[in-house]
Amino acid sequence: MSPTSAPRDRHRSTVYDAEDAVGRVLERGGTIEHYGSTLVLPGLRKFGDVADVPAYLRRVLAHPPVAALPRAGVPVAVRERRGARAAHYEPAGAAGPTIAVPPYAAGGGWALSETTVLHELAHHLGPDLPAHGPVFLAHLLHLYEHVIGPEAAHLLRVALAERGVTTGAPL
């Protein structure tokens, strides 16, 4: 590997698959049976517009378990992304660190969900190479645990483990 090349992000699609599976369960919310345990899940939060995301991020970043993380004090901007195929994180966007989310008008309604926004925020909180590696996953699980709830974090841990993805140590 050359000094300028990044490590291979070999778990990217597997992480997305696990998150999608958990997202489908959270969309329904309510009480579920999961491997012999009864879990009560919140419903998945959805945003009406990209303009609603910054206020949510400010609240998340101010939440004490998240605010204690080293990069929580680094502001993150939000912008509309062209096209509807992906949301992404820009560590050095024009306005500083930026989360780009496609708007409903471009067919990006799927991306205006809490799980997608938390995924991109985890990239901000735990810069990691590969991009979906153990440090990123530790931050994502921390966000699920303290923002959505411990049941959602449990579902994501199990979904990742079932797919053979190793997560980082808890924060």
Side-chain angles (χ1 to χ4, degrees):
M1 175 172 27
S2 73
T4 58
S5 65
R8 189 167 166 258
D9 192 5
R10 65 188 179 96
H11 290 303
R12 179 179 180 211
S13 63
T14 308
V15 168
Y16 289 166
D17 181 59
E19 285 182 284
D20 288 346
V22 171
R24 285 190 299 275
V25 174
L26 290 174
E27 280 181 358
R28 293 187 303 270
T31 303
I32 66 165
E33 293 294 320
H34 188 257
Y35 290 104
S37 296
T38 301
L39 303 177
V40 179
L41 301 172
L44 183 63
R45 289 182 182 110
K46 295 279 198 162
F47 301 98
D49 192 87
V50 174
D52 299 331
V53 176
Y56 170 78
L57 287 174
R58 284 191 297 277
R59 287 191 307 274
V60 168
L61 290 168
H63 184 50
V66 178
L69 299 173
R71 287 187 45 87
V74 177
V76 60
V78 178
R79 71 169 181 83
E80 285 190 2
R81 182 187 193 282
R82 284 191 292 201
R85 297 187 63 195
H88 70 271
Y89 173 68
E90 302 165 349
T98 302
I99 292 173
V101 183
Y104 274 107
W110 66 269
L112 289 166
S113 70
E114 183 172 37
T115 54
T116 300
V117 170
L118 291 178
H119 175 106
E120 301 309 331
L121 183 59
H123 284 299
H124 174 69
L125 293 172
D128 187 17
L129 292 175
H132 297 90
V135 173
F136 164 81
L137 290 170
H139 282 86
L140 182 62
L141 287 163
H142 185 81
L143 290 170
Y144 268 53
E145 177 94 18
H146 296 287
V147 177
I148 302 174
E151 297 83 1
H154 168 76
L155 289 177
L156 184 56
R157 275 187 198 90
V158 169
L160 290 165
E162 287 176 337
R163 289 161 175 81
V165 177
T166 303
T167 61
L171 301 176

